[in-house]
Amino acid sequence: MAMIPNQLPKLVSDPTGRSLGLDLPPGALTGPADAPYLWSGRGAAGPAAWSALRPAARTAGLLPVLLGGKWDLDRWELMPERMSDPADHDAAEVLAEFWEANASDEIPGNSGWPGLAPELPYDSDPDRTAAAVAEMLTEPGFWLEDARPALVPARRSADIPAVIGWTGPLNHENDVARLCAVLRSWEDRFGARVVALTFDQLVVSVAAPPGTVEEAEAVAAEHFAFCPDSITQGDHDGLRGYARTGLLDSPVWTFWWD
């Protein structure tokens, strides 16, 4: 995988990151001593953490993400060495393959992969949308209020799962870089950003969510191919119900793999 210069080793001797223009809370590095692939804070991020971490992208090429859930990282089974490069995969081909493998049993009257949804225009900055979503999700009472802040040496937000070797979708796809290729496409078409990961969940912010039922149904088909469990095991009354209740004007997309 094409990597940017990794600044994380500097945190070994400079744990606050001041040499990188940062002011990090206490945290730990994950990965080989000379090439760690993840820094994560020890305490809860809190609503202000994302904005505090955003300068890391500019000064050190480190992208923020929230790490949530009850399990510590040593139980996440991170395997970056097993992942390919997202650039080696085509989003449309990946989704078409998943659709053909799953839609025939789950979608009555399925007439084949409908293709990628059209790009949607957006006025808001995707990074600002990500910051707003991260702040909302870590407010007291929200389900990610205990999530930890983290930094990853990635060129694009979409690549974060592949860089850290996230295995959350293992029962659906064992090379998460293929899903990252789809996330790259969503970055380009909808202003998406990876905001949070848990052991088996992915949260994405969206600067250009679908605003009509037709747009939502087109995007819903991609979501089904990307993560069937989020629809077949949810409370959405099928694909069309999911489009209407889960996607219309929503700046947050959440995926869960069984």
Side-chain angles (χ1 to χ4, degrees):
M1 184 185 308
M3 299 285 290
I4 62 173
N6 188 353
Q7 303 286 2
L8 287 181
K10 293 184 178 180
L11 299 182
V12 175
S13 58
D14 176 24
T16 65
R18 289 196 178 97
S19 64
L20 300 174
L22 307 175
D23 185 14
L24 299 177
L29 296 170
T30 300
D34 60 343
Y37 49 81
L38 175 68
W39 170 89
S40 56
R42 292 194 173 95
W50 188 278
S51 294
L53 292 177
R54 284 181 68 191
R58 181 178 65 255
T59 63
L62 301 171
L63 299 185
V65 66
L66 300 172
L67 305 179
K70 298 178 181 179
W71 288 7
D72 293 332
L73 283 178
D74 59 358
R75 297 186 63 185
W76 280 35
E77 300 177 342
L78 299 176
M79 301 179 184
E81 69 282 354
R82 286 184 51 179
M83 307 307 167
S84 61
D85 189 333
D88 292 339
H89 308 286
D90 178 80
E93 292 178 1
V94 170
L95 290 174
E97 178 183 325
F98 285 142
W99 178 273
E100 295 301 331
N102 296 288
S104 58
D105 295 330
E106 299 292 347
I107 301 179
N110 167 42
S111 59
W113 166 238
L116 295 182
E119 178 180 352
L120 296 176
Y122 50 90
D123 297 323
S124 59
D125 177 78
D127 292 320
R128 290 184 180 177
T129 301
V133 168
E135 180 175 346
M136 176 188 70
L137 293 175
T138 50
E139 289 280 359
F142 279 76
W143 71 283
L144 282 172
E145 65 174 324
D146 294 327
R148 303 175 301 284
L151 291 170
V152 177
R155 291 188 181 277
R156 322 175 41 153
S157 171
D159 294 351
I160 287 174
V163 171
I164 70 172
W166 185 56
T167 56
L170 192 59
N171 291 338
H172 180 60
E173 171 57 59
N174 59 18
D175 181 4
V176 78
R178 282 164 47 84
L179 298 181
C180 289
V182 178
L183 291 172
R184 283 185 172 196
S185 181
W186 290 349
E187 275 193 5
D188 296 338
R189 286 181 289 139
F190 310 122
R193 297 290 186 271
V194 173
V195 170
L197 296 167
T198 75
F199 175 76
D200 56 4
Q201 293 171 295
L202 165 69
V203 182
V204 177
S205 66
V206 189
T212 68
V213 171
E214 182 180 9
E215 291 170 349
E217 289 184 352
V219 174
E222 294 192 30
H223 283 208
F224 177 85
F226 185 80
C227 180
D229 292 340
S230 288
I231 298 169
T232 60
Q233 299 191 33
D235 261 341
H236 299 294
D237 191 24
L239 196 62
R240 289 185 174 179
Y242 172 77
R244 289 163 171 77
T245 62
L247 294 183
L248 271 177
D249 298 317
S250 175
V252 185
W253 295 347
T254 302
F255 304 96
W256 167 77
W257 288 267
D258 191 358

